[in-house]
Amino acid sequence: LSSSLAASDVYKRQSLGVSPLDTKDDSPVLVEGAEGGSAAMESIPEDPHDPDAELVLARSPVTPAQPSQAVRDAHEVSGHALYRNWCRSCVSGKGRSQSHVAIDDESRELPMIGHDYTYLAEKKDVESGKASPILVGKCNKSDWTSAEVLPCKGGSHQHNINMMCALWILVGYARLLSKTDQEPAIQDLRNKTARLAKADHGIEIVPEDSPTYESPSNGFTENACGTVKASVRVLKHSTEELHGTTIGHEHPLLPFMVRLSLIHISEPTR
């Protein structure tokens, strides 16, 4: 009787596309042979012959519908402003991007601008000093995003100070919070820029620092960094495929792509 039940169980599992070897209790088993190419999950109960055992089906990933050439051309002309899962450049640049959930700063009395550095280069190039930092800023009230490739970190270069101050002028507030992490370089830049903004433009800056080792607390700015990097990667991948070339982290097109990405971020529907 035991042999008959075992054979019956093997037949049942094979008909569902499940390997007879996958018999661990309470473990999810992937069904690869389900009808129509979809995937299924079966949770095996303690008693595999329990009449109340349930088979839970899960949807398979949706295969992107291929658009017409006219739609593709319009998407290319837009600079990949909107993410499309059928576009190789969009998937390459944005498909795997993830970041911290943004902290809700809308309840603040003062408008807040978050600043952080990011890079488009590999870690080894960043550590060796060969890659140029990108200063990203975002205002929580106007949702304005800025990004600029800088010659170096910190406030030792006047260009860096001018770029940060330009964003504070553009958002149009006479008094605002400036939030950064506790990296000495970006705090030095903020402090020097705050003195310039106060003396030359009458803008009062209230500094605010994220807690040490609390990266999610600055998630609002990290999200902006991820958005800028993803948009630049899309432009970079699209350009490389179109012209059959490779754009390195020192290529003169990259600073232009960083600025161009802001147009797509700020006005994605146009």
Side-chain angles (χ1 to χ4, degrees):
L1 177 60
S2 299
S3 300
S4 299
L5 289 174
S8 174
D9 183 61
V10 169
Y11 175 80
K12 183 190 298 183
R13 295 172 62 80
Q14 286 179 336
S15 67
L16 292 172
V18 184
S19 169
L21 298 179
D22 295 326
T23 57
K24 184 181 293 185
D25 292 344
D26 298 322
S27 61
V29 181
L30 179 64
V31 180
E32 298 180 347
E35 182 179 355
S38 62
M41 297 291 290
E42 181 185 16
S43 181
I44 308 300
E46 291 185 4
D47 182 3
H49 307 292
D50 184 353
D52 296 327
E54 295 183 358
L55 181 67
V56 181
L57 299 180
R59 291 183 179 181
S60 61
V62 177
T63 302
Q66 296 303 309
S68 65
Q69 188 59 46
V71 172
R72 287 185 177 276
D73 292 342
H75 179 66
E76 293 283 346
V77 171
S78 75
H80 306 266
L82 297 176
Y83 176 80
R84 293 291 181 259
N85 60 359
W86 43 259
C87 173
R88 286 168 49 86
S89 295
C90 284
V91 173
S92 173
K94 299 179 181 179
R96 297 184 299 274
S97 61
Q98 294 181 346
S99 58
H100 292 294
V101 177
I103 298 173
D104 182 13
D105 286 309
E106 292 297 326
S107 60
R108 294 179 182 273
E109 181 180 352
L110 291 176
M112 185 273 287
I113 295 183
H115 282 289
D116 201 1
Y117 290 121
T118 190
Y119 290 89
L120 289 169
E122 296 181 1
K123 185 177 180 180
K124 62 179 181 179
D125 294 320
V126 174
E127 293 177 344
S128 65
K130 295 181 180 179
S132 298
I134 301 173
L135 178 66
V136 177
K138 186 166 185 177
C139 176
N140 70 329
K141 295 295 185 182
S142 65
D143 208 33
W144 182 275
T145 302
S146 72
E148 188 74 25
V149 178
L150 302 181
C152 61
K153 284 187 173 184
S156 61
H157 201 292
Q158 187 62 38
H159 175 75
N160 300 355
I161 298 174
N162 293 341
M163 289 300 100
M164 178 176 275
C165 190
L167 173 62
W168 294 350
I169 295 171
L170 283 173
V171 294
Y173 297 105
R175 189 169 185 262
L176 54 87
L177 288 167
S178 175
K179 186 173 183 178
T180 68
D181 57 26
Q182 297 197 27
E183 181 183 3
I186 199 165
Q187 289 188 338
D188 174 61
L189 174 59
R190 181 189 61 192
N191 295 339
K192 291 180 177 178
T193 307
R195 290 195 290 269
L196 174 67
K198 182 67 174 178
D200 291 1
H201 307 284
I203 301 175
E204 181 182 355
I205 301 300
V206 179
E208 180 178 342
D209 302 330
S210 299
T212 306
Y213 306 120
E214 291 292 335
S215 181
S217 68
N218 201 27
F220 173 80
T221 312
E222 287 194 355
N223 182 62
C225 290
T227 300
V228 170
K229 290 172 65 175
S231 295
V232 174
R233 285 197 300 263
V234 170
L235 293 173
K236 178 176 177 290
H237 184 273
S238 177
T239 303
E240 288 176 338
E241 284 211 332
L242 179 63
H243 297 284
T245 186
T246 300
I247 300 175
H249 65 85
E250 296 181 341
H251 199 284
L253 265 180
L254 275 183
F256 168 75
M257 289 182 174
V258 170
R259 287 195 171 187
L260 181 61
S261 70
L262 301 177
I263 300 176
H264 302 150
I265 294 170
S266 300
E267 302 182 28
T269 59
R270 291 192 177 184

